Structures are given as structure tokens and as C-alpha cells.
Amino acid sequence: MNNGLKHILEPESVAVVGVSPNEKNLATVIFKNIQYEFSKRGRAVYAVNPLYEECAGVRCNDRVPSSDLVIIAVPASLVKGYVKQAEQAGAKAAIVISGGFKESGGQPLLDWKPRLRVLGPNTIGVVNPHWGLNTLFLPHVKEYISGEILESIPDPAPGDVAIVAQSGALSITMLDDLTHLGVGLRGLVCTGNSEDISGEEAIEFFSEDGMTRVIAVYLEGVKDGRLLMRAVKRAKEAGKDVIAIVGGITDEGRRATGSHTASMIRNSALFTNALKQAGAYLARSYDEAMAVAALRSKWPTSRINSVVILSNSGGAGVLASDELGRNGVPLAEVPQGLIALRESGLIPRAASVKNPIDLTASGTDESFLLALDELCRGGAQGLIIIATHYPPGVSGSLPEKISAKIKSSCPDVPVVAVEVGSSAWSVAYRDGFMKSGIMSFSSPESAARALSGLYALPRISPFFAEATNEKASVSAELDEIYSMVEDAGFSRLPWGWINGEDDLKGLPYPIVLKVQAAGLVHKQKAGGVITGIRSPEEASAKYRELLRVFPGARVYYQRQVNGFEIRVGFVSDETFGTAIDIGYGGIYTEKLPHVTYVAPITESGVKSASSEAGISIPDSLAKAISRLSFIIAGSGKFKEFEINPVIVSNDGYYPVDIKYVL
Amino acid sequence: MNNGLKHILEPESVAVVGVSPNEKNLATVIFKNIQYEFSKRGRAVYAVNPLYEECAGVRCNDRVPSSDLVIIAVPASLVKGYVKQAEQAGAKAAIVISGGFKESGGQPLLDWKPRLRVLGPNTIGVVNPHWGLNTLFLPHVKEYISGEILESIPDPAPGDVAIVAQSGALSITMLDDLTHLGVGLRGLVCTGNSEDISGEEAIEFFSEDGMTRVIAVYLEGVKDGRLLMRAVKRAKEAGKDVIAIVGGITDEGRRATGSHTASMIRNSALFTNALKQAGAYLARSYDEAMAVAALRSKWPTSRINSVVILSNSGGAGVLASDELGRNGVPLAEVPQGLIALRESGLIPRAASVKNPIDLTASGTDESFLLALDELCRGGAQGLIIIATHYPPGVSGSLPEKISAKIKSSCPDVPVVAVEVGSSAWSVAYRDGFMKSGIMSFSSPESAARALSGLYALPRISPFFAEATNEKASVSAELDEIYSMVEDAGFSRLPWGWINGEDDLKGLPYPIVLKVQAAGLVHKQKAGGVITGIRSPEEASAKYRELLRVFPGARVYYQRQVNGFEIRVGFVSDETFGTAIDIGYGGIYTEKLPHVTYVAPITESGVKSASSEAGISIPDSLAKAISRLSFIIAGSGKFKEFEINPVIVSNDGYYPVDIKYVL
């Protein structure tokens, strides 16, 4: 358990620095919020400000008093002094709300290692409805132009969804949207500039926390890549889901994060793949992340294998089907009972009773309910209901009726609704679904994508492995390197030095002859490789030719093998350590897609990585590559390591050329 | 000009079949709508129903009277009789609203070729606000559960956006959403089962129509692929934009379209590529299509080269930047004046004044307006405004103020707004932007994607070309085929039959020897190909070896060339005719991405197709491939034609192996 975050989210006492008689002052707003909730629970809250005797109706401390958590909201130049006071007072943790540090071109706050944990600076802090703690300094209600006082930020109910975000504004938005999607909050941690406590630590905290079920994450960077992966993997293994949005993955986005939270993702392909590898669900957009998190919180253990679309709009049904198809979600077979319903005229005779079911514009409330009944009885596992409101037979109470029907007939079936359109009716009706407890969407694709997320979540299985300490016997000698690769499960490509024509007898023809000479990098281009040699006689002639063209070079043979060529490379990444790169080999290496993951990688990870690169490889090769990734990552000796090509033939996987930098 | 659609969209007289005294009857609803509008314009509307003397308050005709357009809404079994009556009465066109034909497993309506044009069956018909014609049979208002009468389908204003859709429900939704996005309608054509008039004909009509500026299309299939492409290309060349959503492009979606409009896309990659090739904008979702169509209608001639993001939410700014990045839209440099504003404290000192500009939670209405002023003066070309409502300094009148500022300072700059969140304030405020004439989105990615569409539209240039009649001299002889390919701009790979060892002298060594024998398909695998032969002596030995292993086979030589290998193939598609397929060649052909477009294809089309497949090729090779596509498509002689591999070397493009089926 991460103690820093425990003190931050569940402090027994809090001191707020910067409180003043001014009601609009940030620290005052924070103090009053906490005071109200904490006093009900009998916990202590202190105000700190040396300029006043009394502020916000209480006595003002002129120094930070002894307390678990110190919240600091003062001008940037004063922050350091108060963190030091908090240290001296024995505080366990501090939240620095103040901005004006690295994110706006200034210096970092922490130029020493403090004896307490620090969240921020440049953070909106935390929210923990289970503890009555909320450090948001923004108003919960605001006057609208109409003069009405409208809700601006909702007060989240206690629940099981955790929010971890580097961005303050986005944290609030996530809280707002998730609350309105009917989700209860376990806690929100905004890490801001993440100078001390990082997003990965916050994820680690929630991964070990009994009240957390879903962790919704917004990341613009990471300090400790391996910790991030371990935390995500631990969450997944504990039966939780991590739903991540990553900001700054294009060049445009990356420039933006630099001046936002001073974070920056160096290798965005590796970053997002590392998250996937650890078991996170990578949302393709903000909306998708919120919808999937909310659906999962509602159906935490659901495992759907197929989806039924029940619609009265054929076109919208098609678009939803396409989106399911793009996400690999199968359409279910639908029960025969629907045909009987149609024959009896209880659902329209013009209806199509294949999936997607299309009740057409003649469909009524009643036909939706009858069809639903049949689908529930038939064992539907996931439902998309597209009940366009336009037809005369569809009433405003259909959402409520559908909700009641599902509660009585198949309460465990995840269901989402679609109403496309913008007329007053559409807006009210879409809202009607939300009020009846059915998440509703304004486009068929977004509904299908959200339900696809629910399909995908229980199927995600981490394929990241911890490095083991490999024996340090890895040598710099090429021969031993080949043995190491062979130990991993690659084949031994018969080869040997040729020291005279006698050596050419008894070789495993056909062979290739190659020269080895200092400074000769592109031996193939230089004519230093001769393939397809079938006999000792031919070999003798070629051997003499090579010695003539490359005087003084050494010549070696390799058995000639045919097959297709892949490349397996390893590089060292600043954030994630050793990474593996898999792609096509030989002359195509640079032109073709290749994928990068963090090493070591499991066998199934190798399989999925290569198929992402468009390569289908045998299980035993995947096993060898995985094993090699353990050796390379575990030895910690190689800056770079590359086998290119590995010839994948019917009788083995031959490493033809190995290059490495220690 | 397509006369059928002219009579359908602009009839001087209309007869509606099926009208009855029942007010809720579909035909009655349609009749009354048209009657109301037409009587104002002095045009004739007739009711037809042999069962009644009087219906819907007028005299009922017992047969179809003479009229331009006949609208039929009667049970399926009666439809054919009325179409025949319409023919006899000399009608120019008919709209068949009735369903119950192919889409629900029945027979097609048209088992003869009628003397009038037919729209449908299974269509909701057309809407033309410029003509007072609207055949929708659904109510414009409906009672909601609250008892309120709410708008259900808006009455669109006359405008320049055309809607062409196969799906009835989706047509209405498009009309609803586009109208609420502030768009005026040129006309809506729903083709339903498209038995006679097809979506491509409707697009052709609007491509030639003076009032149309944007054509929003929903397609589930096509009858005449080339007509579709010509129509889209013509629209684009006339300065119009075609924004397309395609339904049924996955297996799941395809099964769905089969039972929806009885359409089916056979080769979805070719279908969507054909649309792109002709100049259509392929929307990735329904929402995107609507937003892009609406933006384009508002800024029909805008050409933006970069975008500025002005925000008070760093995270949302990052997500918008990433989405712009994914769509290839550059972020603009922002004016120096912003720094001065920040220094003077007129915008918050903590603000980041790089693009995306982040005013932070300290930003106020005033700072937004000052920054906007500076951006307008600095020549901003496209704007995304992310003005999260949460900060205390942001008021409900900001949308209006921003709108006024833009009208006065840079009225021609396309602008969209983002407000993420679901609280009452968010909803009202997002609506405030719409009411002020600024399209607002609930996620940063959707706003960025919509503006990216506006960036992309003027950059789309069709790369589809019409086939020309190539001289029919194309022969079935391999020698002549090689000459044909050489004429297109490929190199001549020196080769020749070897009829004896004497023929091996004076060849352009190094060479390859190959055998040609009936039934020998995989000559390489069988050992019938020997590469790397460097001298006449070596060649003699290999020649004898080949004759020994393949007795009776013919042997030929090719000069050995090195380079990378691509494949250029042609197939004949049922819908689109000759199609070209480009990808990597040799052993990688089947494993790697390849792309299919319709032939002929322009040189720039070849360039973009190959880069889609991950291949970068020289201009002169693109020219040769384009030229070859003209020859193959123009000759009409080949069922299949494949060069695999073409070796792309420094001194030429060598077609090594050509296979074809006449």
C-alpha cells in the first residue's frame, strides 16, 4: 500500500495554508468545504495564514500545525517555505494546489527530497466521497445568464470508480461526466506536475484498494514506466479494470503536453503498447473512456460473447453492426420465437427478424417489449436498443417500459440505447433513457463502441512479464552469443570458418559463403556474399574468387536455408528499459510495419505483437522469442541487440545475422 | 440532368394513391402535407382511392389521373397495378412508399421496365423545401410523456445541402440533425430498395444542380459503380463536396444491409476506395459526417492551412491537438502579441501562450475575448475554442460574446467550440454556443475531427480516370504482352529461350535460368529456377542439370536484377469493372497490406495507393503503372492480369513474371 496516498486520501487531520477572510480566496474555499464535512465526522481541520488572527471564522495558525495532510494554496514563491514547515511539523503529506512552476516555464518546486510525500504542484488535488474530502476550489453551482442557479460540478456519490489524471480541468470533467453517467466515485487523484507522487503511484494505490473496481486514467507521461506497468497489471490481476486515455501521442499533442503538465511521452507507440501489455484498455477518445468506465462500473463481472441489436431504424442498425464488426464483437443468433411473433402480427410483418432486428417504422412500444421478452428468454448477452422516436407508435414512456422489462426479464444483461437526432423530442427521450438507468447515445457507432469495450474488458490479459535475473555469463563473443540465442530455442545455423579449400569438403550443401573483413558493413552489396553453392567444386571456385576480391578477409560458410524472414530487435528505452521490436526482416525491414513492446514479453504477447505487424509465426518461435526477451532484458548487458534476418523455415528458425552493442 | 429526379423533386402536379378518410393513414398524411404547400403555390394535387368518393376532404379519383408524379402508399400487393396505371396516365415518375418487397424476403416490384422512373419501393420519398414538397409520413410534432407537444421532425429551411440515403429512418435523422446544426436543405432523396432510381443517380442529379453545395450520402450498396464514381467526381469538379457514410463494410454490417435495403457491398475495400478515388470525403462515423457537412455548408469556400486551439483546459487542448495530429492538420504558430497580453496580466500570468493556448482556470470571459482579438489580428485560419465553464470567471454569456467578437474581427474564420461535461450548466452553455451560431461539441476529439474535415475537403482531388479505348491489338502472346508492358514504361528485362548451349554465349551475365513446362506452376519450389549464374561455363552446367531434372521442358534466361519487389495486379469486379491491386511482391505478397482501387488510375493515384500499402515508389514507376492501368482497363480483354514481382532497381522497373487470364 502506498502510504503517501493513504494520508492524502484518508487523513485524520488537515491543515489548509493560505486561508484568509476573503471568501473567494482558493484556500478559503477549500478550507470551508473540508471543514463542513470533517466537522460532521469529528476530524480536525486547521487554517494557516500568518497575516491574520482569524480567517474563515476560525483562529488562524501562523505556522503549519501538526497534521496528517497539509494543503497549500499560496503564491508560488511562498510554497517551498510551507512545505518545509509541513516537514518540520511532522506532516505525512502535502497537496500543492499552487501553479507557476515547471508547467509555465519556471523551476521545479522540489529541489530537495522532502520527508513527506507531495502531490502536485499545479494540481486541483483529490476528491474522496467515502471520507468527506474534496479539495476542488471551483464552485458547485453557478448563476447562468437566465439568472437560474445551475449545477456546475456535481457532488459525486461514493462508489467504486477511481479517477487518476494529470490534468486538473480534465479531472473535473471526468468527475462531471462519470457522475452523470450514474457512476459512484471511489476517489479522484489529480497529479498535476507529478514532481513527487506520480500517476503510476496513484494507479498502484487504487490497484491495491479494496473499494476500487474501475480506474479511469488520463496520462500525459510517466516517470517510472515499469511501475506503471506493474500497477496496471496488479489492478487487472485483482479483477479491476484500467481504462486509459493518453494525451500527447502525436507530435502536435506532444508539443501541447510540454506546456501543460511539463510531461512528455517520448515514444508514443511504446507508451501505449506498454499500457496494453500491462492490461489497460486504451480508449480511442475521451467519450469512449467515460462510457466504458461507466458501463463497467454498472456491470463489473459481465462477460458477453455476442450482442443483439434491436432497432426500428435499419440504417442505424447497420452502422452499429459495422462498429461491432470493427471491434471484433460477434452479432448473436436471434431466437426463432421472433419469427412466430412476426407471423402472428404482434411485431410488424415487414420487420426483419435477423440480427440487427429491424421493427421498421411500424414498430410500436408493444413490439419492442415483445421482442425484448423473446430476446431475454433466448439468452441475449448484450443489447443495443435503437428505438428511434419518430414513428407514431413509439411513445415517450418507452425508455421506462424497456427498463422495467429488462429488470424483470434479464436484469444482468448489459444494455445501451441509441436515439439519433436533435429535435426537442430526441433530447427529452434520450434523457428519458438515462433517467430510467439505461445509458443512451446519440449515434449508433458510439453505443456500439461502448458495448464493445464491455466485451473487450474481461478478455484483456496482461502479457508483460517481470525480468528475471539471468546469469551474467552472457559474453561478448559472437560464438557465445549464437549459443545464447540457440538456448532460447532458435536453431543452430550450421556455419564455420573456412581456413582453406579442404574445409569445404563435407559441408551441408547448399551453402552460402560470406566474407568477414574489418570495415565491411554491407557485405551483400559489396559482393561479399555468394548464395546457392551446391558442391565442394563450386565452393572452391567461389572461395578463391572471394579471396581475390577481398584480400586478407576471413571467409565463413552458412548452410543455405529458405523461408521467410523476420527481424527481432531489442533497444533500451529511457522510460521503459529494454524494449523488443518485431517486424519483417531482410530488405523489407525499414519499409514495413513493425511493433514495439516492453521486454520481457510472454509467448502470447509475441504472438499478438507479430500478428499486429502482419506476421503469422509458429508457437514454438513465439516461445523462443519470448525466452530471448527474458535473457536480454534480464542480463541488462545490451544497449542494442538485433537478429536480422531470422529465417523461418519448415525445419527451424535460423538466426542468420546478429548485431549487438554492449 | 437526370429527368426522373427532376420530375420527382420538382413536379408540377402530384397524385397520391391510397388516400382515405382515415386521418392516420400514411397516404392521407402525405396528401395533406403536399396539398397544404402546393395549393399555396398554385400546383395540382390529386387523391386516388377507388374505395371512396371523398377522402381527406377532396374528391377521390378511382384511377391515377394525369400528373407528373404519382406517390403510392398502399399494400404491397396493390402497388404494381398502380404503377401500371401511372404509366398509362402518362406520369413521368412514381415514388413507391410501400414496403414488403425484396427487403423483407419478397419479390422485386419491377419485373418489367416501366415507361416512367420509379423511386423505391420501401422509401420515405423526398423532401424539397425549395418546392414545397415533402413526402414524409411521420408526424412533425408528437406528444411527450409530460403532456407537452414537442417537435419530432423539424421542417427544414431551403438551403444548399442535399441528402441522399438508402435508409428511410436514417434520412429523417440526417434531416433532423443537419437542420439543428443550422443547415438549410436543398433536397432529400431516399432511394429505399433502389430498384430503379439509385443513390448514384441521385448524386448525379445533385452534382449537376445549381442550388446544391454539399451532398451528404448514406450508401449500403451501389448498382452502377462507375456511375457513382462519375457522379461524385463531377460534383467535386463543380466545386461541391460529397460527404459519404458507408454502411455494411464489415461482415456484420454486410449481413445487416442484406435484410435492410436488400443491398450488399461485395468488396468493401474497393467500394470505399472507389468513393475516395472519385473525390468523396469518407466519414468514419455518422456524427462526423453530419458535423463536416454542416461546417462545409457554413464555410463553402474556406481553405484552412492550420488551426489554433484556444482553451482553458490543458488536457482537453492536448486531446484536440492529438486528434488534429492524427488527421494531419498542422497547429498554427500563434502571434507574439499574446505574450505581451500575458505580461501585462490581461490574460492570466499562468497561461500557456503556445498553441494550444491554455488560459487555465484563471481565464475569464475577458481573457478569451482579448486572446481571440489577438488571434484574429494574427491571421488565424481555423479556431477550436475550448472554454470549459467551470472556472468562476467564465460566464454564461461567453458564447454570445465570442460569436460577436468573431463576427466583428474575423467573420470568415471557421470556428467550433468544445464544452465537455454533463451538468445542467454544461448542457445550457453548449446550447448557448449553438444558439450563437457556433457549432459546439461535447468532446475535444469530435470538434477537432469536424474541423479536420473542413481542412481536408478542399484538398481532396479525384484520382479516378475514365477508361479510353485502347487499340484492340492486345495479343495473347507472351512476347506481345511483354511489349505492351514495356510500352507502358516498364523496362525490358533481357531474356530469351535457350535452345542449346551455344545460346548461352554473350548473354548479359549475371543471369537466371528458368524452366517452362506444362503443369509446372511453382517452378521455384520445384528447383526450376537457378539464380546468380555469372559465366557461360556455369550456365552450361546449370542448363544441363535443368534438362536432366525436367526432361522435355523449355529453358529460358533472364538477366538477374536486384531491387525490391512489388506486385501489380488487375482483377475484374462485378460492380466497378477493372480494379488494380498494388502491394509488395515476391514471397511477401500474401502476407502484407495491399490496396485496391478502380482502374484506370492517375499517376498521383498510384503514388497515394502505394504509399497506403507502405511502399514508396519513384514517379516514373507510378506513371508506368498508371499507363498500364489505362491499357488493361481500356482493352477490356483481361479477366486477370498480374506482374509479380516487378523488381524496382536503380536502372529500371523489371516485370519478372506476368500471368494473365483473357
Short mmCIF file of all heavy atoms in Angstrom, two decimals, chain A residues 278 288 295 311 322 481 514 531 559 577:
data_model
loop_
_atom_site.label_atom_id
_atom_site.label_comp_id
_atom_site.label_asym_id
_atom_site.label_seq_id
_atom_site.Cartn_x
_atom_site.Cartn_y
_atom_site.Cartn_z
N ALA A 278 0.34 -4.27 -20.23
CA ALA A 278 0.12 -4.44 -18.79
C ALA A 278 -1.33 -4.76 -18.48
O ALA A 278 -1.66 -5.12 -17.35
CB ALA A 278 0.54 -3.16 -18.06
N GLU A 288 -15.34 7.68 -25.33
CA GLU A 288 -15.32 6.22 -25.22
C GLU A 288 -14.86 5.81 -23.82
O GLU A 288 -15.44 4.92 -23.20
CB GLU A 288 -14.37 5.63 -26.27
CG GLU A 288 -14.32 4.12 -26.23
CD GLU A 288 -13.22 3.54 -27.10
OE1 GLU A 288 -12.47 4.32 -27.72
OE2 GLU A 288 -13.09 2.31 -27.13
N LEU A 295 -20.04 1.83 -17.95
CA LEU A 295 -20.68 0.53 -18.20
C LEU A 295 -20.05 -0.54 -17.31
O LEU A 295 -20.73 -1.40 -16.76
CB LEU A 295 -20.52 0.12 -19.67
CG LEU A 295 -21.43 0.80 -20.69
CD1 LEU A 295 -21.10 0.31 -22.09
CD2 LEU A 295 -22.90 0.49 -20.38
N SER A 311 -33.79 -2.77 -33.23
CA SER A 311 -33.94 -1.41 -33.73
C SER A 311 -35.24 -1.20 -34.49
O SER A 311 -35.93 -2.16 -34.84
CB SER A 311 -32.77 -1.08 -34.66
OG SER A 311 -33.12 -1.34 -36.00
N ASP A 322 -21.62 -2.44 -38.09
CA ASP A 322 -20.28 -2.20 -38.61
C ASP A 322 -19.30 -1.90 -37.48
O ASP A 322 -18.17 -2.38 -37.47
CB ASP A 322 -20.29 -1.04 -39.61
CG ASP A 322 -20.54 -1.51 -41.05
OD1 ASP A 322 -20.26 -2.69 -41.34
OD2 ASP A 322 -21.01 -0.71 -41.86
N ILE A 481 27.32 -15.74 -28.19
CA ILE A 481 26.05 -15.07 -28.45
C ILE A 481 25.13 -16.01 -29.23
O ILE A 481 23.94 -16.16 -28.93
CB ILE A 481 26.27 -13.76 -29.25
CG1 ILE A 481 27.04 -12.74 -28.41
CG2 ILE A 481 24.96 -13.20 -29.76
CD1 ILE A 481 26.21 -11.98 -27.40
N LYS A 514 30.43 -16.25 -47.09
CA LYS A 514 30.43 -14.82 -46.76
C LYS A 514 31.83 -14.40 -46.33
O LYS A 514 32.56 -15.21 -45.74
CB LYS A 514 29.47 -14.54 -45.59
CG LYS A 514 28.02 -14.88 -45.88
CD LYS A 514 27.13 -14.46 -44.72
CE LYS A 514 25.66 -14.73 -45.06
NZ LYS A 514 24.76 -14.28 -44.00
N THR A 531 25.50 -16.95 -52.68
CA THR A 531 24.48 -17.92 -52.24
C THR A 531 24.37 -19.07 -53.24
O THR A 531 24.92 -19.02 -54.34
CB THR A 531 23.11 -17.25 -52.13
OG1 THR A 531 22.74 -16.77 -53.42
CG2 THR A 531 23.12 -16.09 -51.15
N ARG A 559 24.97 -22.79 -43.79
CA ARG A 559 24.08 -23.61 -44.61
C ARG A 559 23.04 -22.68 -45.21
O ARG A 559 22.59 -21.73 -44.55
CB ARG A 559 23.37 -24.66 -43.75
CG ARG A 559 22.89 -25.84 -44.60
CD ARG A 559 22.09 -26.81 -43.79
NE ARG A 559 20.68 -26.56 -44.00
CZ ARG A 559 19.73 -26.96 -43.18
NH1 ARG A 559 20.05 -27.60 -42.06
NH2 ARG A 559 18.45 -26.71 -43.45
N GLY A 577 12.93 0.93 -20.15
CA GLY A 577 14.00 -0.06 -20.14
C GLY A 577 14.04 -0.82 -21.45
O GLY A 577 13.70 -0.27 -22.50
#
